[in-house]
Amino acid sequence: MYRFLLSRQWVILTLVALVLIPTMIKLGFWQLHRHEHKVALNTVISDSLAAKPVPAETLTAPGQHIRHDDLYRRVTAKGHFDTAHEEVVRRRTNSDGEVGYHVLTPFILTDGRVLVVNRGWVPADGAQTAFPKIPAPARGEITVTGRLMADQTTAASGIRNVRGLPDRQIMLISSAQEAQRLGKQVLGGYIEQTAPEPGGDSPELIPDPEHGDIGPHMAYAIQWWLFSAGVPVGFVILVRRERRDRAEAAAAQTVAEAEPATV
C-alpha cells in the first residue's frame, strides 16, 4: 500500500523533510536568543541612561574590557582634548542616514592617562583620501560627559577592519590600538560625547540609542517553529494524496481490463 515510499523520489523527499524539521527548530531558537539578547540590552541601556554620571575612571582602566552592565553608562572626565592626534572613523552615518565620519579625539586626563572620545559625526564633503575639516573642541581644561562604550570589533559590528587606509583614518574604535599609536595609557573602551555641546552643532552629537523596540525576533521564532510543525503535516498530506491517486489509478486500470474489448 505504501511501497511507493521506497521509490527514489520519496526517499529523497523524506530525507529533505527530516533535515528541514530540526533546522527550522534550531532557527527558531536562534531568533528566540536574539530576542532575549535585545530585551536584555534594552534594559541595560535604559538603566544606564537613567543613572547619574560617574567618573570614567571608576568603570574602566587601561587594558580593561567594558562590562556589559556598564554599557551606555553616563560618565564624566576632567582634562583637555589632544586635537593633534585626532582621527576619524570612516563610513559612519548620522540620524538622517548620510555617510560621513565619526571624530575620534584623545582626551588627556589630569593624571596623564587618555580617554578616547567620539565627539560626533561630520559629513564626508571631500575626497575619501583627504582628512575632513573638523571644528575644534573647547580649549583648555574642561569636563566632558558621555556614554561609555565597548571597543568595536568586526564580530560585533560586521564592519571589516580594513588596513592601509589614509593617514588618521580608521574603521573600528579600539582603545588598545590607540594606546599603541599614542604610546600612552588609554582607558579601555571609549565614550560617545553628550556634553558640552559643540558650537555650531558640529560635530553632530550621536543621539541616545533606541531602546524601546524589541524587534521582530520573537515573531520570527514562532514563524520558524510553525514551519517546522507544518513539514510533517504537509508530508502526511502528500503521502495520503499519493496513495489515493495510486489507488484510483489502479481501480481504473482494473475496470478497463474487466470491460470486454469492442470490435
Side-chain angles (χ1 to χ4, degrees):
M1 186 180 298
Y2 293 101
R3 291 182 60 85
F4 62 88
L5 291 175
L6 299 177
S7 66
R8 182 173 181 273
Q9 176 185 355
W10 277 95
V11 168
I12 293 175
L13 186 60
T14 302
L15 292 175
V16 170
L18 291 175
V19 170
L20 283 177
I21 293 173
T23 300
M24 291 178 175
I25 292 175
K26 185 176 181 179
L27 286 171
F29 278 107
W30 175 62
Q31 289 291 349
L32 176 63
H33 294 156
R34 294 189 68 187
H35 168 78
E36 293 173 342
H37 173 76
K38 182 66 174 178
V39 171
L41 181 59
N42 283 351
T43 300
V44 169
I45 295 174
S46 179
D47 292 345
S48 295
L49 295 180
K52 292 182 179 180
V54 298
E57 302 94 317
T58 64
L59 298 180
T60 181
Q64 181 176 316
H65 295 288
I66 304 302
R67 295 174 59 250
H68 180 75
D69 290 346
D70 291 333
L71 288 174
Y72 299 96
R73 183 69 186 273
R74 292 190 299 159
V75 297
T76 59
K78 189 175 183 180
H80 66 276
F81 282 110
D82 176 16
T83 55
H85 295 95
E86 199 164 56
E87 291 182 312
V88 292
V89 190
R90 293 167 58 96
R91 299 177 187 173
R92 294 298 189 265
T93 57
N94 65 357
S95 55
D96 296 324
E98 299 174 291
V99 178
Y101 303 94
H102 279 176
V103 180
L104 208 62
T105 311
F107 189 75
I108 312 300
L109 305 178
T110 53
D111 62 5
R113 294 184 297 177
V114 177
L115 174 65
V116 179
V117 177
N118 185 340
R119 294 204 289 126
W121 180 90
V122 293
D125 293 331
Q128 290 289 311
T129 56
F131 195 77
K133 294 181 179 180
I134 302 172
R139 294 183 178 181
E141 189 171 85
I142 64 170
T143 297
V144 66
T145 304
R147 295 179 294 266
L148 185 61
M149 306 295 294
D151 289 327
Q152 297 177 347
T153 64
T154 297
S157 67
I159 300 173
R160 190 163 64 94
N161 196 13
V162 180
R163 303 292 182 178
L165 295 175
D167 187 38
R168 298 167 64 192
Q169 295 191 26
I170 59 175
M171 294 299 298
L172 298 169
I173 304 174
S174 167
S175 59
Q177 290 182 5
E178 292 301 305
Q180 184 177 8
R181 181 176 73 94
L182 299 172
K184 295 183 178 181
Q185 287 190 318
V186 178
L187 302 185
Y190 66 99
I191 69 168
E192 293 177 344
Q193 182 178 339
T194 58
E197 294 187 6
D201 296 326
S202 183
E204 181 182 318
L205 294 181
I206 301 173
D208 287 344
E210 167 60 44
H211 56 282
D213 183 15
I214 60 174
H217 304 300
M218 178 58 79
Y220 290 160
I222 294 174
Q223 188 178 60
W224 280 117
W225 290 332
L226 288 176
F227 287 160
S228 68
V231 170
V233 173
F235 184 81
V236 170
I237 291 174
L238 288 176
V239 169
R240 295 184 65 179
R241 181 179 298 173
E242 181 73 10
R243 177 180 176 275
R244 182 194 63 198
D245 291 345
R246 286 174 177 267
E248 290 176 351
Q253 183 177 359
T254 301
V255 171
E257 293 175 350
E259 290 179 353
T262 58
V263 179

